[in-house]
Amino acid sequence: MASTSSTSVGSGSTVVTWVLRLVVVGYLFFLIGWPSALIVRRTFEGGTQAFTEALQDPDVTHALQLSVVVALCAVAINLLFGVGMSLLLVRYEFPGKRALSALIDLPLAVSPIVVGLALILVYNPRFGWFGESLDAHGIQIIFAKPGMVMATTFVALPLVIREVVPVLEDMGDDQEQAANSLGANAWQTFWRITLPGIKWAVVYGVVLSLARSLGEFGAVKVVAGNISGETTTAPVLVQQKYQNFEQQTAYAMSFLLVAAAVVCLVIVALLRPKDHKPSRATATAAIQEKAS
Amino acid sequence: MSTATARVAGGRPARVRRPASRHSLTKGSALGLGVGMIWFSLLVLIPLTAVVWTAGEGGLGTFKDALTNKQTFNALKLTVLSSLAVTGVNIVMGTVIAWVLVRDRFPGKKLLDLVIDIPFAMPTIVAGLVLLSLYGAESPLGLEWNNTRKAVLLALAFVTVPFVVRTVQPVLEEMDTDVEDAAASLGASRATTFRRVILPTLAPAIFAGATLSFARAISEYGSLVLLSGNLPNRTEVASVRVYSAIEGGNQQSAAAVATILLLVALVAIVVFDLIQRRLARRG
């Protein structure tokens, strides 16, 4: 930190410090701060009563329920897959490991629309690679909940892994070995040693996944199709309401969606011990290191 | 860290006390890997292969058709150019923001740190709504930027703010000011110290963030839906083109544009990696 002894760039001259400060505050204020504040104001322009009324629309409650169910399913799957894959990638050696760890990051670079397209091409009941035979067995994926869960899981897939992998690597496996040599079996070692060590990374990954899953728009929109609101999730309904000039409802839902995500992030920021701050840089570096 | 020594022993000490230097798969973990791989293939690998496959089925002609279609070409051009511009802005602004957050101290800094996370937490469709409130028709500033190319840049800048900041911040936090002091005491000017000492250390993080932000920008859809108006040849981006092709039942041309987007992302990842290595070496 910039102490009095460090006279160099660390503290900087007052002019430069002030210019940088102003530039940063100005940029973030005009890009994020002011627009967000405006939306909150417009949401509550009609008082809290208009807000609650807007949310009593049956379409809205249905969409919100659907969004929560889909997001929870996707997060549960990604939690299981993410923790398992992280353990495999860090603690074991197998052929193709490097390729796999590079591929796991792939969903971050794919457009949500392309995610939807990809799932449609494989699971569409009419022309999909597997869709036709699944349809013959009465399993419908596209235009139904399974497809929406898959699309949501796809886009949020790397989030848990990116948080857990660097922590697992930092931790080493001294304690796990000690537990093993004292006669603990694999489950006991995992529950008593490994899990407590990666707890915060897992929680952080889950919260990020939940925020991402609740808000997923493009991929779900492609996969869900336009079936009479039966498969309309909250973000998709925000678009429809806004375009139907029901702005108040759109604002109310938006506020609810953002509030849920922000509350999650704030709770985690408060709960998490200071020294356990998982850093995205180490995650990125670790993943890139393995990929190269 | 004792990770090197920690990985020496095996997972089953009862039987294999000191096997090879890495854990090979046990029965349970092999089963886990198998199940994981099947799920990963069904969810990600096979569907993405299907996209490239469907696009390739029509031969090169499909790609040629996609690129010679004026509307598609303009959409791709707008997407790539805007994403490059926004990534450039992020490289500079992201580094500056991270710098201020780590090295500066002023009241309200915590709030600033929280604001950075808002684009991560905000659903993309809401991001579009939010920007409309200040830059749309009822703008208190009188800026009617909706349905213009400025709106595209704005939306992309909004959703990609956190990437460079959050990759550079921890590296700056861990960086010792000793080296900077040493450079200064040896007579280096502040600009030289920044260019020769600080920048090379930050370069990998900056470009890791830049890669993420470019990949995100070229694939953006949700925040643009309400904001850019999707005017053909003017504000329509590639993702919107893919979406309308899907809607129109033309899976093959959708797949062709999608494949081109995937290729652009791939090329960008390689190019950014090369630049970053160059910069890191020059230091």
Side-chain angles (χ1 to χ4, degrees), chain A residues 1 8 12 21 30 91 93 111 123 170 173-174 177 180 221 242 254, chain B residues 1 3 6 9 11 23 42 102 104 129 135 167 181 190 219 221 239 243:
Chain A
M1 268 293 165
S8 69
R21 216 181 268 180
F30 279 104
R91 295 280 185 265
E93 205 55 46
S111 169
Y123 297 104
D170 260 12
D173 64 351
D174 292 355
Q177 280 180 55
N180 267 331
K221 194 175 150 190
Y242 189 83
S254 300
Chain B
M1 267 294 139
T3 37
H23 298 209
L42 285 174
V102 174
D104 204 352
L129 261 187
Y135 300 98
T167 45
D181 292 342
R190 287 157 41 83
S219 56
Y221 174 73
S239 293
Y243 184 75

PDB file of all heavy atoms in Angstrom, chain A residues 1 8 12 21 30 91 93 111 123 170 173-174 177 180 221 242 254, chain B residues 1 3 6 9 11 23 42 102 104 129 135 167 181 190 219 221 239 243:
ATOM      1  N   MET A   1       0.826  -1.214   0.000  1.00  0.00           N
ATOM      2  CA  MET A   1       0.000   0.000   0.000  1.00  0.00           C
ATOM      3  C   MET A   1       0.854   1.255   0.000  1.00  0.00           C
ATOM      4  O   MET A   1       2.021   1.237   0.353  1.00  0.00           O
ATOM      5  CB  MET A   1      -0.887   0.017   1.252  1.00  0.00           C
ATOM      6  CG  MET A   1      -2.242  -0.598   1.028  1.00  0.00           C
ATOM      7  SD  MET A   1      -3.200   0.415  -0.117  1.00  0.00           S
ATOM      8  CE  MET A   1      -4.490  -0.724  -0.522  1.00  0.00           C
ATOM      9  N   SER A   8       7.223   6.509  -4.888  1.00  0.00           N
ATOM     10  CA  SER A   8       7.110   6.317  -6.334  1.00  0.00           C
ATOM     11  C   SER A   8       5.648   6.317  -6.783  1.00  0.00           C
ATOM     12  O   SER A   8       4.783   6.903  -6.153  1.00  0.00           O
ATOM     13  CB  SER A   8       7.767   5.005  -6.721  1.00  0.00           C
ATOM     14  OG  SER A   8       6.992   3.962  -6.208  1.00  0.00           O
ATOM     15  N   GLY A  12       1.984   8.315  -5.878  1.00  0.00           N
ATOM     16  CA  GLY A  12       1.666   9.191  -6.992  1.00  0.00           C
ATOM     17  C   GLY A  12       1.507  10.634  -6.577  1.00  0.00           C
ATOM     18  O   GLY A  12       1.373  10.950  -5.397  1.00  0.00           O
ATOM     19  N   ARG A  21      -8.926   9.289 -10.059  1.00  0.00           N
ATOM     20  CA  ARG A  21     -10.100   9.100  -9.216  1.00  0.00           C
ATOM     21  C   ARG A  21     -11.359   9.607  -9.933  1.00  0.00           C
ATOM     22  O   ARG A  21     -12.372   8.924  -9.996  1.00  0.00           O
ATOM     23  CB  ARG A  21      -9.895   9.897  -7.930  1.00  0.00           C
ATOM     24  CG  ARG A  21     -10.449   9.258  -6.701  1.00  0.00           C
ATOM     25  CD  ARG A  21     -10.207  10.162  -5.524  1.00  0.00           C
ATOM     26  NE  ARG A  21      -8.959   9.854  -4.843  1.00  0.00           N
ATOM     27  CZ  ARG A  21      -8.537  10.521  -3.765  1.00  0.00           C
ATOM     28  NH1 ARG A  21      -9.226  11.528  -3.292  1.00  0.00           N
ATOM     29  NH2 ARG A  21      -7.416  10.176  -3.176  1.00  0.00           N
ATOM     30  N   PHE A  30     -21.620   7.150 -14.826  1.00  0.00           N
ATOM     31  CA  PHE A  30     -22.455   7.297 -16.017  1.00  0.00           C
ATOM     32  C   PHE A  30     -22.818   5.950 -16.635  1.00  0.00           C
ATOM     33  O   PHE A  30     -23.884   5.800 -17.220  1.00  0.00           O
ATOM     34  CB  PHE A  30     -21.746   8.173 -17.056  1.00  0.00           C
ATOM     35  CG  PHE A  30     -21.904   9.635 -16.763  1.00  0.00           C
ATOM     36  CD1 PHE A  30     -20.857  10.366 -16.225  1.00  0.00           C
ATOM     37  CD2 PHE A  30     -23.106  10.274 -17.014  1.00  0.00           C
ATOM     38  CE1 PHE A  30     -21.011  11.708 -15.927  1.00  0.00           C
ATOM     39  CE2 PHE A  30     -23.263  11.612 -16.731  1.00  0.00           C
ATOM     40  CZ  PHE A  30     -22.223  12.339 -16.183  1.00  0.00           C
ATOM     41  N   ARG A  91      -6.763 -33.422  -8.358  1.00  0.00           N
ATOM     42  CA  ARG A  91      -6.142 -34.493  -7.585  1.00  0.00           C
ATOM     43  C   ARG A  91      -5.748 -35.728  -8.401  1.00  0.00           C
ATOM     44  O   ARG A  91      -5.054 -36.574  -7.897  1.00  0.00           O
ATOM     45  CB  ARG A  91      -7.092 -34.933  -6.465  1.00  0.00           C
ATOM     46  CG  ARG A  91      -7.364 -33.889  -5.414  1.00  0.00           C
ATOM     47  CD  ARG A  91      -6.242 -33.818  -4.411  1.00  0.00           C
ATOM     48  NE  ARG A  91      -6.570 -32.895  -3.327  1.00  0.00           N
ATOM     49  CZ  ARG A  91      -6.189 -31.619  -3.310  1.00  0.00           C
ATOM     50  NH1 ARG A  91      -5.460 -31.131  -4.298  1.00  0.00           N
ATOM     51  NH2 ARG A  91      -6.511 -30.841  -2.300  1.00  0.00           N
ATOM     52  N   GLU A  93      -4.648 -37.765 -12.216  1.00  0.00           N
ATOM     53  CA  GLU A  93      -3.968 -37.637 -13.497  1.00  0.00           C
ATOM     54  C   GLU A  93      -4.620 -38.608 -14.465  1.00  0.00           C
ATOM     55  O   GLU A  93      -4.790 -39.778 -14.145  1.00  0.00           O
ATOM     56  CB  GLU A  93      -2.499 -38.011 -13.281  1.00  0.00           C
ATOM     57  CG  GLU A  93      -1.549 -37.399 -14.279  1.00  0.00           C
ATOM     58  CD  GLU A  93      -1.659 -35.893 -14.355  1.00  0.00           C
ATOM     59  OE1 GLU A  93      -1.694 -35.233 -13.287  1.00  0.00           O
ATOM     60  OE2 GLU A  93      -1.728 -35.387 -15.493  1.00  0.00           O
ATOM     61  N   SER A 111     -21.919 -17.688 -27.314  1.00  0.00           N
ATOM     62  CA  SER A 111     -23.100 -16.833 -27.205  1.00  0.00           C
ATOM     63  C   SER A 111     -24.301 -17.634 -26.701  1.00  0.00           C
ATOM     64  O   SER A 111     -24.495 -18.778 -27.102  1.00  0.00           O
ATOM     65  CB  SER A 111     -23.429 -16.248 -28.567  1.00  0.00           C
ATOM     66  OG  SER A 111     -24.682 -15.629 -28.540  1.00  0.00           O
ATOM     67  N   TYR A 123     -31.418 -31.925 -29.717  1.00  0.00           N
ATOM     68  CA  TYR A 123     -32.566 -32.462 -28.978  1.00  0.00           C
ATOM     69  C   TYR A 123     -33.935 -32.100 -29.540  1.00  0.00           C
ATOM     70  O   TYR A 123     -34.952 -32.433 -28.943  1.00  0.00           O
ATOM     71  CB  TYR A 123     -32.470 -32.035 -27.511  1.00  0.00           C
ATOM     72  CG  TYR A 123     -31.259 -32.594 -26.842  1.00  0.00           C
ATOM     73  CD1 TYR A 123     -30.147 -31.807 -26.575  1.00  0.00           C
ATOM     74  CD2 TYR A 123     -31.194 -33.952 -26.511  1.00  0.00           C
ATOM     75  CE1 TYR A 123     -29.007 -32.336 -25.976  1.00  0.00           C
ATOM     76  CE2 TYR A 123     -30.071 -34.488 -25.924  1.00  0.00           C
ATOM     77  CZ  TYR A 123     -28.981 -33.675 -25.664  1.00  0.00           C
ATOM     78  OH  TYR A 123     -27.870 -34.222 -25.079  1.00  0.00           O
ATOM     79  N   ASP A 170      -4.200 -24.675  -4.125  1.00  0.00           N
ATOM     80  CA  ASP A 170      -3.491 -24.009  -3.031  1.00  0.00           C
ATOM     81  C   ASP A 170      -3.404 -24.887  -1.796  1.00  0.00           C
ATOM     82  O   ASP A 170      -2.417 -24.879  -1.086  1.00  0.00           O
ATOM     83  CB  ASP A 170      -4.252 -22.728  -2.636  1.00  0.00           C
ATOM     84  CG  ASP A 170      -3.605 -21.514  -3.256  1.00  0.00           C
ATOM     85  OD1 ASP A 170      -2.755 -21.709  -4.146  1.00  0.00           O
ATOM     86  OD2 ASP A 170      -3.952 -20.400  -2.858  1.00  0.00           O
ATOM     87  N   ASP A 173      -2.613 -31.640  -0.695  1.00  0.00           N
ATOM     88  CA  ASP A 173      -3.400 -32.753  -0.137  1.00  0.00           C
ATOM     89  C   ASP A 173      -2.724 -33.396   1.056  1.00  0.00           C
ATOM     90  O   ASP A 173      -2.961 -34.554   1.373  1.00  0.00           O
ATOM     91  CB  ASP A 173      -3.744 -33.780  -1.220  1.00  0.00           C
ATOM     92  CG  ASP A 173      -2.524 -34.458  -1.783  1.00  0.00           C
ATOM     93  OD1 ASP A 173      -1.402 -34.013  -1.455  1.00  0.00           O
ATOM     94  OD2 ASP A 173      -2.677 -35.431  -2.532  1.00  0.00           O
ATOM     95  N   ASP A 174      -1.899 -32.626   1.757  1.00  0.00           N
ATOM     96  CA  ASP A 174      -1.245 -33.150   2.968  1.00  0.00           C
ATOM     97  C   ASP A 174      -2.255 -33.688   3.964  1.00  0.00           C
ATOM     98  O   ASP A 174      -2.131 -34.795   4.473  1.00  0.00           O
ATOM     99  CB  ASP A 174      -0.452 -32.036   3.662  1.00  0.00           C
ATOM    100  CG  ASP A 174       0.734 -31.609   2.836  1.00  0.00           C
ATOM    101  OD1 ASP A 174       0.964 -32.263   1.795  1.00  0.00           O
ATOM    102  OD2 ASP A 174       1.403 -30.640   3.211  1.00  0.00           O
ATOM    103  N   GLN A 177      -4.103 -36.785   2.915  1.00  0.00           N
ATOM    104  CA  GLN A 177      -3.273 -37.980   3.093  1.00  0.00           C
ATOM    105  C   GLN A 177      -3.208 -38.392   4.541  1.00  0.00           C
ATOM    106  O   GLN A 177      -3.256 -39.577   4.870  1.00  0.00           O
ATOM    107  CB  GLN A 177      -1.867 -37.686   2.599  1.00  0.00           C
ATOM    108  CG  GLN A 177      -1.743 -37.775   1.114  1.00  0.00           C
ATOM    109  CD  GLN A 177      -0.333 -37.468   0.723  1.00  0.00           C
ATOM    110  OE1 GLN A 177       0.592 -38.089   1.207  1.00  0.00           O
ATOM    111  NE2 GLN A 177      -0.182 -36.500  -0.153  1.00  0.00           N
ATOM    112  N   ASN A 180      -6.278 -40.124   5.403  1.00  0.00           N
ATOM    113  CA  ASN A 180      -6.268 -41.458   4.811  1.00  0.00           C
ATOM    114  C   ASN A 180      -5.424 -42.419   5.631  1.00  0.00           C
ATOM    115  O   ASN A 180      -5.816 -43.540   5.911  1.00  0.00           O
ATOM    116  CB  ASN A 180      -5.670 -41.389   3.394  1.00  0.00           C
ATOM    117  CG  ASN A 180      -6.753 -41.203   2.369  1.00  0.00           C
ATOM    118  OD1 ASN A 180      -7.875 -41.641   2.580  1.00  0.00           O
ATOM    119  ND2 ASN A 180      -6.429 -40.552   1.277  1.00  0.00           N
ATOM    120  N   LYS A 221     -34.523 -18.504 -24.032  1.00  0.00           N
ATOM    121  CA  LYS A 221     -35.519 -18.025 -24.980  1.00  0.00           C
ATOM    122  C   LYS A 221     -35.545 -18.897 -26.234  1.00  0.00           C
ATOM    123  O   LYS A 221     -36.625 -19.250 -26.733  1.00  0.00           O
ATOM    124  CB  LYS A 221     -35.190 -16.580 -25.357  1.00  0.00           C
ATOM    125  CG  LYS A 221     -36.312 -15.855 -26.062  1.00  0.00           C
ATOM    126  CD  LYS A 221     -35.922 -14.409 -26.270  1.00  0.00           C
ATOM    127  CE  LYS A 221     -36.576 -13.857 -27.521  1.00  0.00           C
ATOM    128  NZ  LYS A 221     -36.050 -12.554 -27.903  1.00  0.00           N
ATOM    129  N   TYR A 242     -42.188  -5.264 -21.346  1.00  0.00           N
ATOM    130  CA  TYR A 242     -41.675  -3.959 -21.753  1.00  0.00           C
ATOM    131  C   TYR A 242     -42.173  -3.619 -23.150  1.00  0.00           C
ATOM    132  O   TYR A 242     -42.580  -2.491 -23.418  1.00  0.00           O
ATOM    133  CB  TYR A 242     -40.142  -3.951 -21.713  1.00  0.00           C
ATOM    134  CG  TYR A 242     -39.567  -2.565 -21.914  1.00  0.00           C
ATOM    135  CD1 TYR A 242     -39.472  -1.681 -20.849  1.00  0.00           C
ATOM    136  CD2 TYR A 242     -39.133  -2.142 -23.171  1.00  0.00           C
ATOM    137  CE1 TYR A 242     -38.963  -0.410 -21.018  1.00  0.00           C
ATOM    138  CE2 TYR A 242     -38.621  -0.873 -23.346  1.00  0.00           C
ATOM    139  CZ  TYR A 242     -38.540  -0.009 -22.267  1.00  0.00           C
ATOM    140  OH  TYR A 242     -38.031   1.255 -22.440  1.00  0.00           O
ATOM    141  N   SER A 254     -37.705  -6.627 -12.986  1.00  0.00           N
ATOM    142  CA  SER A 254     -36.260  -6.388 -13.084  1.00  0.00           C
ATOM    143  C   SER A 254     -35.681  -6.125 -11.707  1.00  0.00           C
ATOM    144  O   SER A 254     -34.650  -6.681 -11.326  1.00  0.00           O
ATOM    145  CB  SER A 254     -35.974  -5.178 -13.967  1.00  0.00           C
ATOM    146  OG  SER A 254     -36.469  -5.385 -15.242  1.00  0.00           O
TER     147      SER A 254
ATOM    148  N   MET B   1       4.797 -23.194  -0.798  1.00  0.00           N
ATOM    149  CA  MET B   1       3.771 -24.250  -0.877  1.00  0.00           C
ATOM    150  C   MET B   1       4.417 -25.606  -1.078  1.00  0.00           C
ATOM    151  O   MET B   1       5.399 -25.749  -1.810  1.00  0.00           O
ATOM    152  CB  MET B   1       2.845 -23.964  -2.048  1.00  0.00           C
ATOM    153  CG  MET B   1       1.634 -23.169  -1.646  1.00  0.00           C
ATOM    154  SD  MET B   1       0.576 -24.093  -0.564  1.00  0.00           S
ATOM    155  CE  MET B   1       0.113 -22.828   0.593  1.00  0.00           C
ATOM    156  N   THR B   3       3.104 -28.175  -2.515  1.00  0.00           N
ATOM    157  CA  THR B   3       2.250 -28.960  -3.402  1.00  0.00           C
ATOM    158  C   THR B   3       3.049 -30.039  -4.117  1.00  0.00           C
ATOM    159  O   THR B   3       2.549 -31.119  -4.380  1.00  0.00           O
ATOM    160  CB  THR B   3       1.581 -28.064  -4.447  1.00  0.00           C
ATOM    161  OG1 THR B   3       2.488 -27.061  -4.831  1.00  0.00           O
ATOM    162  CG2 THR B   3       0.292 -27.463  -3.939  1.00  0.00           C
ATOM    163  N   ALA B   6       3.479 -32.701  -1.738  1.00  0.00           N
ATOM    164  CA  ALA B   6       2.188 -33.204  -1.294  1.00  0.00           C
ATOM    165  C   ALA B   6       1.606 -34.218  -2.263  1.00  0.00           C
ATOM    166  O   ALA B   6       0.807 -35.054  -1.892  1.00  0.00           O
ATOM    167  CB  ALA B   6       1.212 -32.046  -1.121  1.00  0.00           C
ATOM    168  N   ALA B   9       2.542 -38.985  -2.579  1.00  0.00           N
ATOM    169  CA  ALA B   9       1.954 -40.249  -2.138  1.00  0.00           C
ATOM    170  C   ALA B   9       0.593 -40.512  -2.779  1.00  0.00           C
ATOM    171  O   ALA B   9      -0.041 -39.609  -3.303  1.00  0.00           O
ATOM    172  CB  ALA B   9       1.802 -40.230  -0.631  1.00  0.00           C
ATOM    173  N   GLY B  11      -3.452 -42.212  -3.054  1.00  0.00           N
ATOM    174  CA  GLY B  11      -4.700 -41.998  -2.339  1.00  0.00           C
ATOM    175  C   GLY B  11      -5.045 -43.156  -1.416  1.00  0.00           C
ATOM    176  O   GLY B  11      -5.839 -43.012  -0.503  1.00  0.00           O
ATOM    177  N   HIS B  23      -1.535 -39.219  -8.605  1.00  0.00           N
ATOM    178  CA  HIS B  23      -2.625 -40.154  -8.378  1.00  0.00           C
ATOM    179  C   HIS B  23      -3.133 -40.638  -9.722  1.00  0.00           C
ATOM    180  O   HIS B  23      -3.483 -39.828 -10.565  1.00  0.00           O
ATOM    181  CB  HIS B  23      -3.807 -39.462  -7.706  1.00  0.00           C
ATOM    182  CG  HIS B  23      -3.485 -38.907  -6.362  1.00  0.00           C
ATOM    183  ND1 HIS B  23      -4.428 -38.788  -5.382  1.00  0.00           N
ATOM    184  CD2 HIS B  23      -2.342 -38.444  -5.835  1.00  0.00           C
ATOM    185  CE1 HIS B  23      -3.873 -38.267  -4.310  1.00  0.00           C
ATOM    186  NE2 HIS B  23      -2.608 -38.045  -4.562  1.00  0.00           N
ATOM    187  N   LEU B  42     -22.989 -34.770 -23.438  1.00  0.00           N
ATOM    188  CA  LEU B  42     -24.390 -34.586 -23.835  1.00  0.00           C
ATOM    189  C   LEU B  42     -24.791 -33.122 -23.807  1.00  0.00           C
ATOM    190  O   LEU B  42     -25.565 -32.652 -24.626  1.00  0.00           O
ATOM    191  CB  LEU B  42     -25.312 -35.377 -22.904  1.00  0.00           C
ATOM    192  CG  LEU B  42     -25.344 -36.879 -23.107  1.00  0.00           C
ATOM    193  CD1 LEU B  42     -26.182 -37.547 -22.038  1.00  0.00           C
ATOM    194  CD2 LEU B  42     -25.888 -37.217 -24.496  1.00  0.00           C
ATOM    195  N   VAL B 102      -7.103  -0.341  -5.718  1.00  0.00           N
ATOM    196  CA  VAL B 102      -6.066  -0.944  -4.881  1.00  0.00           C
ATOM    197  C   VAL B 102      -5.168   0.115  -4.249  1.00  0.00           C
ATOM    198  O   VAL B 102      -4.874   0.068  -3.058  1.00  0.00           O
ATOM    199  CB  VAL B 102      -5.215  -1.942  -5.703  1.00  0.00           C
ATOM    200  CG1 VAL B 102      -4.051  -2.452  -4.873  1.00  0.00           C
ATOM    201  CG2 VAL B 102      -6.077  -3.097  -6.176  1.00  0.00           C
ATOM    202  N   ASP B 104      -5.455   3.657  -4.241  1.00  0.00           N
ATOM    203  CA  ASP B 104      -5.999   4.921  -3.752  1.00  0.00           C
ATOM    204  C   ASP B 104      -6.835   4.669  -2.509  1.00  0.00           C
ATOM    205  O   ASP B 104      -7.287   3.546  -2.272  1.00  0.00           O
ATOM    206  CB  ASP B 104      -6.858   5.565  -4.853  1.00  0.00           C
ATOM    207  CG  ASP B 104      -6.963   7.071  -4.664  1.00  0.00           C
ATOM    208  OD1 ASP B 104      -6.503   7.565  -3.630  1.00  0.00           O
ATOM    209  OD2 ASP B 104      -7.512   7.729  -5.560  1.00  0.00           O
ATOM    210  N   LEU B 129     -32.538  -2.599 -20.093  1.00  0.00           N
ATOM    211  CA  LEU B 129     -33.546  -1.694 -19.529  1.00  0.00           C
ATOM    212  C   LEU B 129     -32.902  -0.548 -18.767  1.00  0.00           C
ATOM    213  O   LEU B 129     -33.299   0.612 -18.894  1.00  0.00           O
ATOM    214  CB  LEU B 129     -34.423  -2.473 -18.546  1.00  0.00           C
ATOM    215  CG  LEU B 129     -35.763  -2.992 -19.002  1.00  0.00           C
ATOM    216  CD1 LEU B 129     -36.520  -3.577 -17.825  1.00  0.00           C
ATOM    217  CD2 LEU B 129     -36.554  -1.867 -19.614  1.00  0.00           C
ATOM    218  N   TYR B 135     -30.060   6.525 -21.355  1.00  0.00           N
ATOM    219  CA  TYR B 135     -29.642   6.829 -22.721  1.00  0.00           C
ATOM    220  C   TYR B 135     -30.756   6.610 -23.740  1.00  0.00           C
ATOM    221  O   TYR B 135     -30.534   6.659 -24.934  1.00  0.00           O
ATOM    222  CB  TYR B 135     -28.416   5.992 -23.087  1.00  0.00           C
ATOM    223  CG  TYR B 135     -27.251   6.275 -22.183  1.00  0.00           C
ATOM    224  CD1 TYR B 135     -26.970   5.444 -21.099  1.00  0.00           C
ATOM    225  CD2 TYR B 135     -26.450   7.383 -22.394  1.00  0.00           C
ATOM    226  CE1 TYR B 135     -25.904   5.715 -20.255  1.00  0.00           C
ATOM    227  CE2 TYR B 135     -25.381   7.665 -21.558  1.00  0.00           C
ATOM    228  CZ  TYR B 135     -25.121   6.823 -20.487  1.00  0.00           C
ATOM    229  OH  TYR B 135     -24.072   7.104 -19.655  1.00  0.00           O
ATOM    230  N   THR B 167      -9.646  -9.226 -12.886  1.00  0.00           N
ATOM    231  CA  THR B 167      -8.439 -10.035 -13.077  1.00  0.00           C
ATOM    232  C   THR B 167      -7.195  -9.260 -12.650  1.00  0.00           C
ATOM    233  O   THR B 167      -6.245  -9.833 -12.147  1.00  0.00           O
ATOM    234  CB  THR B 167      -8.277 -10.510 -14.532  1.00  0.00           C
ATOM    235  OG1 THR B 167      -8.543  -9.423 -15.407  1.00  0.00           O
ATOM    236  CG2 THR B 167      -9.177 -11.663 -14.855  1.00  0.00           C
ATOM    237  N   ASP B 181       9.783   1.256  -5.850  1.00  0.00           N
ATOM    238  CA  ASP B 181      10.667   2.161  -5.121  1.00  0.00           C
ATOM    239  C   ASP B 181      12.099   2.031  -5.622  1.00  0.00           C
ATOM    240  O   ASP B 181      12.806   3.024  -5.799  1.00  0.00           O
ATOM    241  CB  ASP B 181      10.614   1.853  -3.626  1.00  0.00           C
ATOM    242  CG  ASP B 181       9.260   2.200  -3.032  1.00  0.00           C
ATOM    243  OD1 ASP B 181       8.532   2.978  -3.681  1.00  0.00           O
ATOM    244  OD2 ASP B 181       8.925   1.684  -1.961  1.00  0.00           O
ATOM    245  N   ARG B 190       8.392   8.274 -13.243  1.00  0.00           N
ATOM    246  CA  ARG B 190       7.168   7.545 -12.938  1.00  0.00           C
ATOM    247  C   ARG B 190       6.618   6.831 -14.152  1.00  0.00           C
ATOM    248  O   ARG B 190       6.164   5.697 -14.075  1.00  0.00           O
ATOM    249  CB  ARG B 190       6.136   8.508 -12.383  1.00  0.00           C
ATOM    250  CG  ARG B 190       6.474   8.944 -10.964  1.00  0.00           C
ATOM    251  CD  ARG B 190       5.823  10.267 -10.627  1.00  0.00           C
ATOM    252  NE  ARG B 190       4.465  10.312 -11.137  1.00  0.00           N
ATOM    253  CZ  ARG B 190       3.440   9.790 -10.499  1.00  0.00           C
ATOM    254  NH1 ARG B 190       3.632   9.180  -9.371  1.00  0.00           N
ATOM    255  NH2 ARG B 190       2.239   9.877 -11.005  1.00  0.00           N
ATOM    256  N   SER B 219     -20.452 -12.243 -28.103  1.00  0.00           N
ATOM    257  CA  SER B 219     -21.572 -13.174 -27.978  1.00  0.00           C
ATOM    258  C   SER B 219     -22.783 -12.531 -27.316  1.00  0.00           C
ATOM    259  O   SER B 219     -23.763 -13.203 -27.057  1.00  0.00           O
ATOM    260  CB  SER B 219     -21.126 -14.408 -27.199  1.00  0.00           C
ATOM    261  OG  SER B 219     -20.607 -14.025 -25.962  1.00  0.00           O
ATOM    262  N   TYR B 221     -26.175 -10.779 -26.338  1.00  0.00           N
ATOM    263  CA  TYR B 221     -27.497 -10.749 -26.960  1.00  0.00           C
ATOM    264  C   TYR B 221     -28.500  -9.976 -26.114  1.00  0.00           C
ATOM    265  O   TYR B 221     -29.039  -8.957 -26.539  1.00  0.00           O
ATOM    266  CB  TYR B 221     -27.989 -12.181 -27.201  1.00  0.00           C
ATOM    267  CG  TYR B 221     -29.414 -12.249 -27.702  1.00  0.00           C
ATOM    268  CD1 TYR B 221     -29.713 -11.890 -29.004  1.00  0.00           C
ATOM    269  CD2 TYR B 221     -30.447 -12.659 -26.858  1.00  0.00           C
ATOM    270  CE1 TYR B 221     -31.018 -11.927 -29.468  1.00  0.00           C
ATOM    271  CE2 TYR B 221     -31.745 -12.702 -27.325  1.00  0.00           C
ATOM    272  CZ  TYR B 221     -32.029 -12.334 -28.614  1.00  0.00           C
ATOM    273  OH  TYR B 221     -33.320 -12.363 -29.061  1.00  0.00           O
ATOM    274  N   SER B 239     -25.354 -12.185 -32.920  1.00  0.00           N
ATOM    275  CA  SER B 239     -26.236 -13.072 -32.162  1.00  0.00           C
ATOM    276  C   SER B 239     -27.690 -12.904 -32.579  1.00  0.00           C
ATOM    277  O   SER B 239     -28.448 -13.871 -32.637  1.00  0.00           O
ATOM    278  CB  SER B 239     -26.132 -12.775 -30.665  1.00  0.00           C
ATOM    279  OG  SER B 239     -24.869 -13.121 -30.204  1.00  0.00           O
ATOM    280  N   TYR B 243     -30.309 -15.608 -34.073  1.00  0.00           N
ATOM    281  CA  TYR B 243     -31.638 -15.817 -33.514  1.00  0.00           C
ATOM    282  C   TYR B 243     -32.718 -15.732 -34.593  1.00  0.00           C
ATOM    283  O   TYR B 243     -33.605 -16.578 -34.655  1.00  0.00           O
ATOM    284  CB  TYR B 243     -31.919 -14.791 -32.406  1.00  0.00           C
ATOM    285  CG  TYR B 243     -33.247 -15.038 -31.736  1.00  0.00           C
ATOM    286  CD1 TYR B 243     -33.388 -16.084 -30.839  1.00  0.00           C
ATOM    287  CD2 TYR B 243     -34.358 -14.250 -32.023  1.00  0.00           C
ATOM    288  CE1 TYR B 243     -34.591 -16.334 -30.222  1.00  0.00           C
ATOM    289  CE2 TYR B 243     -35.577 -14.498 -31.412  1.00  0.00           C
ATOM    290  CZ  TYR B 243     -35.688 -15.541 -30.521  1.00  0.00           C
ATOM    291  OH  TYR B 243     -36.889 -15.802 -29.922  1.00  0.00           O
TER     292      TYR B 243
END
